[in-house]
């Protein structure tokens, strides 16, 4: 795979109950055979896989209960079409049949066509979406930066394992898209809202909406 191209074909997908943002970090425990094989192959050749957020269901494949409808077979029914490439940074195998991986989100993509392989792995032809253009944080949104800096400082005092923190260098405090994405990594909001924010192409609009969410959370906590 080449992240610099406008499109990728046969990109393996990992549907999850979470949203990965560009520049974000995602720890995963992998134990299903279909994903163990995919992760090993991606790690061996230094290729990304695609993280897409589930619309329904679980990451783990289960047989339908008697009397219930079968799992959706159309990708559009299963997961959102805008996702993010994940590059594996570290991989460990604490025991047979279990992998621990730490991934970094890189570039967003749009699923154009997805196919379910016979062993249960989704692969897709995707179009890469443009990266956020650098945009300084406006003065009226400066509080989003200072609040995020305070949060990171508080998290750093709580652990000596800085590699496990949700916000990792390089830090870009004056880049609106980066600040918005790092807030989205840690905000206690629904995956559906995070998906809508991640899908926005304008980083300033994303940061404005994050600021609105922060204000609402402050008001709710003050009641």
């Amino acid at each position: 795979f080449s992240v610099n191209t406008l499109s990728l074909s046969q990109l393996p997908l990992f549907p999850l109950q979470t949203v990965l943002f560009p520049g974000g970090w995602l720890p995963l425990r992998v134990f299903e055979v279909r994903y163990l094989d995919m992760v090993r192959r991606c790690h061996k050749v230094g290729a990304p896989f695609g993280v897409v957020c589930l619309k329904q269901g679980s990451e783990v494949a289960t047989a339908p209960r008697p009397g219930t409808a079968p799992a959706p077979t159309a990708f559009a029914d299963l997961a959102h079409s805008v996702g993010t490439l994940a590059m594996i940074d570290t991989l460990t195998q604490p025991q047979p049949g279990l992998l621990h991986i730490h991934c970094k989100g890189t570039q967003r993509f749009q699923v154009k066509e997805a196919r379910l392989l016979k062993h249960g792995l989704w692969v897709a032809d995707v179009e890469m979406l443009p990266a956020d253009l650098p945009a300084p944080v406006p003065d009226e949104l400066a509080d989003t930066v200072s609040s995020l800096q305070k949060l990171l400082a508080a998290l750093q005092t709580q652990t000596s394992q800085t590699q496990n923190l949700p916000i990792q260098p390089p830090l870009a405090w004056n880049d609106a898209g980066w600040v918005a994405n790092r807030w989205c990594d840690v905000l206690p909001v629904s995956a559906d809202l995070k998906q809508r924010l991640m899908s926005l192409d304008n980083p300033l609009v994303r940061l404005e909406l994050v600021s609105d969410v922060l204000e609402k959370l402050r008001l709710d906590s003050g009641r």
Side-chain angles (χ1 to χ4, degrees), residues 19-27 84-87 89 102-107 165-169 178 181-182 184-185:
V19 178
L20 178 62
F21 283 77
W25 289 90
L26 179 67
T84 301
L85 295 181
M87 290 295 299
D89 182 63
H102 202 219
C103 310
K104 184 175 185 180
T106 59
Q107 191 170 351
L165 291 174
I167 301 173
Q168 295 285 334
W178 184 89
N181 288 352
R182 300 297 71 77
C184 291
D185 290 337

Side-chain angles (χ1 to χ4, degrees), residues 4 6 10 12 18 54 101-102 109 113 120 136 142 147 158 177 187 201:
N4 296 319
L6 295 177
Q10 296 289 311
T18 190
L54 287 161
I101 60 174
H102 202 219
F109 61 81
E113 181 182 354
S147 298
Q158 296 170 12
L187 279 173
D201 290 329

Side-chain angles (χ1 to χ4, degrees), residues 174-196:
N174 196 39
D175 184 84
W178 184 89
V179 173
N181 288 352
R182 300 297 71 77
W183 266 123
C184 291
D185 290 337
V186 298
L187 279 173
V189 296
S190 68
D192 185 60
L193 176 55
K194 291 189 179 189
Q195 177 69 36
R196 294 202 300 271

Side-chain angles (χ1 to χ4, degrees), residues 2 4 9 26 38 55 62 73 83 113 156 160 168 188 190 219:
S2 173
N4 296 319
S9 61
L26 179 67
M38 179 266 284
K55 291 181 177 179
T62 56
T73 54
E113 181 182 354
Q156 288 171 333
S160 59
Q168 295 285 334
S190 68
L219 291 174

Side-chain angles (χ1 to χ4, degrees), residues 187 189 193 208-218:
L187 279 173
V189 296
L193 176 55
E208 288 170 356
L209 292 174
V210 164
S211 180
D212 292 343
V213 172
L214 289 169
E215 183 62 27
K216 183 179 186 302
L217 290 173
R218 290 190 190 103

